[in-house]
Amino acid sequence: MNVIEVENVSKRYRIGQTSYHTLREDIYNVTGRLARFRRNREKADDAGHIWALKDVSFRVEEGERLGVIGRNGSGKTTLLRLLAGITRPTKGKIRVTGTMGVLIELMAGFHPELTGRNNIFLNGIIIGMSRKDIQRKFDEIVAFAGLKEFIDTPIKRYSSGMQVRLGFAVAAHLEPDILLVDEVLAVGDAEFQKKCLGKMGDVAKEGRTVILVSHNMASITQLCERAVLLDGGKIVQDGPSREVVSKYLSSGENVSGETVWSISDAPGSELVRLRAVRVVNEDGMPCFDTDMAKPIRLEIEFWCLRGTRMTPAFHIYNELGNLLFFTANLHDKIWADRQYEPGLYRCSCELPANFFNEGTYSVNAYLCSDINQAPDVRQEPAVSFRVHDLGTGPGRPIAGEWLGLIRPLLPWSGDRIGDPP
């Protein structure tokens, strides 16, 4: 049975408009469209507007686990807001069967003046649960969120991490038929994210439907059997999650191995903004194709806009979205312990020769004021590079891809230490 049907859905916003409609905006949109129709100004209809989604169609079966992936601005969150009923499509139809648990932004569905306890009951009533059923789940929700001592505190006093923990616990434990989760989980710590993924797996095993938006490709491939890839508001691929993830990562190939931003469009905050991320070869030139037998260097440049402490970091993923490793500048005292002045900075790390298997790899770039917390700035992915076995290294006679996610050529030694028995 189809629990979600999306048919030729498009969503248009006025440039500068948020995702939400007030009554005044709805009236303005209707009267504006009528006026343009009367004046027959068809070409002017899209002036000052942007299509966040364009002619999107798909169906989700009961109990299916669907991942939604794509770059920033591809339309992922807009799609989830439409599915959740937070906003309405400009064109097309959406049919949803069943109750829905939603976590697509902080404080969504919560009243900031109410306590955590009251908000749990409020959310349960909204999705049609009885007070008795909510009470039955209450202790489990509080324990999962780890907020027992704060449950009678107004949630406007919660930190963003506390809000996420309560929001996910409520959405997942009140037994909705459909669970919608956006990348907002990235605000939580790594341990809680692991708990969330485990809970979503449990929800799916119970036969309920899960739709997950994430930049974590390993989570998509592990949790979801199917994925859709959005680009420019359109679905460019819909199929098995591993195939779609591979398409997504390869579509990020940058033949120069470099991404550069101007200060006006750079990812960042009032403290810091990215300027460039690049893969650099032995000659100091940006590159996409690399020789397995030669080292490469990852560089990150950023503007510090105020005096602050910031640690650059990279996550490196393979074609299936598996996180191979994380590396951060934890050695240089200027990044780890000291506040530094406004300016343009460059940090780099070297990836050794004979380390990667053949294949394409993507690099996520981060800037962190606290390496143990969610990053202040993220670009996922920032650049990609492709590794080739050109036969120039000492790895013979084993050619091509080796077993395992990486293929480090580690030093070995051997000596005769005795006589045969």
Side-chain angles (χ1 to χ4, degrees):
M1 181 183 77
N2 294 327
V3 295
I4 295 177
E5 296 182 68
V6 178
E7 294 184 1
N8 302 315
V9 165
S10 299
K11 180 62 180 177
R12 187 184 68 174
Y13 294 116
R14 291 198 311 277
I15 294 174
Q17 176 187 323
T18 66
S19 301
Y20 300 96
H21 286 285
T22 64
L23 176 60
R24 183 177 66 181
E25 287 172 335
D26 283 337
I27 293 172
Y28 180 91
N29 286 341
V30 171
T31 56
R33 284 197 295 269
L34 289 173
R36 286 191 295 271
F37 176 78
R38 287 194 299 267
R39 292 192 299 267
N40 196 27
R41 295 176 58 190
E42 296 179 357
K43 290 185 179 180
D45 192 54
D46 284 342
H49 293 77
I50 186 171
W51 289 96
L53 291 174
K54 192 71 173 176
D55 296 324
V56 170
S57 298
F58 64 92
R59 289 175 171 78
V60 183
E61 302 289 333
E62 183 177 5
E64 192 171 9
R65 292 165 289 171
L66 177 70
V68 181
I69 62 177
R71 303 189 186 284
N72 294 335
S74 62
K76 305 185 301 297
T77 299
T78 296
L79 176 59
L80 259 65
R81 286 173 175 165
L82 291 170
L83 295 177
I86 294 174
T87 187
R88 299 182 298 277
T90 306
K91 298 178 182 178
K93 296 180 180 179
I94 296 177
R95 286 183 285 272
V96 177
T97 303
T99 59
M100 190 176 293
V102 181
L103 185 62
I104 62 177
E105 59 186 33
L106 291 178
M107 300 290 285
F110 284 165
H111 192 298
E113 299 294 336
L114 298 181
T115 65
R117 180 186 302 273
N118 290 337
N119 271 289
I120 291 174
F121 281 91
L122 175 63
N123 274 263
I125 291 169
I126 287 173
I127 68 171
M129 295 182 68
S130 68
R131 187 175 183 85
K132 182 179 180 180
D133 288 338
I134 301 170
Q135 188 64 57
R136 178 172 54 85
K137 287 286 184 177
F138 182 83
D139 290 342
E140 189 178 348
I141 292 171
V142 175
F144 187 92
L147 296 172
K148 183 177 180 180
E149 60 184 309
F150 303 104
I151 200 62
D152 291 309
T153 300
I155 64 169
K156 67 180 181 181
R157 305 190 189 282
Y158 285 14
S159 68
S160 59
M162 293 165 69
Q163 292 171 18
V164 165
R165 298 208 304 272
L166 182 62
F168 182 86
V170 168
H173 286 81
L174 292 182
E175 299 183 340
D177 299 313
I178 305 165
L179 180 61
L180 300 182
V181 182
D182 200 356
E183 194 63 80
V184 67
L185 287 180
V187 178
D189 56 45
E191 182 180 354
F192 184 72
Q193 290 180 42
K194 185 177 180 179
K195 282 178 63 177
C196 291
L197 291 172
K199 181 60 181 177
M200 283 189 282
D202 293 340
V203 167
K205 290 176 183 176
E206 293 166 5
R208 288 181 275 161
T209 304
V210 176
I211 299 181
L212 171 65
V213 166
S214 181
H215 285 291
N216 186 330
M217 296 299 104
S219 298
I220 293 290
T221 56
Q222 292 168 14
L223 182 66
C224 305
E225 66 268 19
R226 175 186 164 205
V228 295
L229 172 58
L230 288 173
D231 186 17
K234 298 182 179 181
I235 293 180
V236 296
Q237 187 164 350
D238 181 345
S241 60
R242 288 186 178 273
E243 294 179 9
V244 176
V245 165
S246 180
K247 166 76 172 179
Y248 169 61
L249 293 176
S250 63
S251 69
E253 293 178 0
N254 185 328
V255 294
S256 68
E258 179 181 44
T259 303
V260 180
W261 295 271
S262 65
I263 189 66
S264 60
D265 63 3
S269 66
E270 70 279 2
L271 291 178
V272 64
R273 288 185 178 274
L274 281 175
R275 180 179 183 270
V277 181
R278 58 179 65 92
V279 182
V280 179
N281 61 21
E282 285 185 306
D283 299 324
M285 300 299 295
C287 64
F288 173 71
D289 290 288
T290 66
D291 182 351
M292 180 183 295
K294 296 181 179 179
I296 56 175
R297 191 169 71 250
L298 297 180
E299 289 186 351
I300 183 170
E301 294 179 1
F302 56 94
W303 289 285
C304 174
L305 305 178
R306 296 186 194 170
T308 187
R309 183 179 64 181
M310 200 65 59
T311 301
F314 295 116
H315 289 185
I316 288 82
Y317 292 83
N318 68 3
E319 292 172 329
L320 295 179
N322 296 307
L323 176 60
L324 301 185
F325 60 91
F326 150 84
T327 181
N329 188 357
L330 304 177
H331 307 288
D332 192 334
K333 290 292 184 181
I334 189 172
W335 314 113
D337 298 331
R338 215 173 78 198
Q339 179 168 296
Y340 57 96
E341 296 303 314
L344 178 62
Y345 293 83
R346 176 188 294 159
C347 293
S348 64
C349 70
E350 184 168 295
L351 306 181
N354 299 299
F355 182 75
F356 291 98
N357 260 316
E358 282 193 305
T360 302
Y361 299 86
S362 62
V363 180
N364 291 359
Y366 303 95
L367 294 171
C368 313
S369 54
D370 185 340
I371 200 67
N372 295 308
Q373 299 295 325
D376 297 73
V377 181
R378 61 175 69 226
Q379 185 64 27
E380 303 169 322
V383 291
S384 299
F385 62 95
R386 185 163 52 211
V387 175
H388 301 272
D389 184 358
L390 302 180
T392 57
R396 303 301 171 189
I398 305 176
E401 184 175 354
W402 292 11
L403 295 176
L405 298 180
I406 55 176
R407 53 167 289 177
L409 195 65
L410 303 176
W412 280 66
S413 63
D415 295 292
R416 184 175 184 273
I417 59 172
D419 296 324

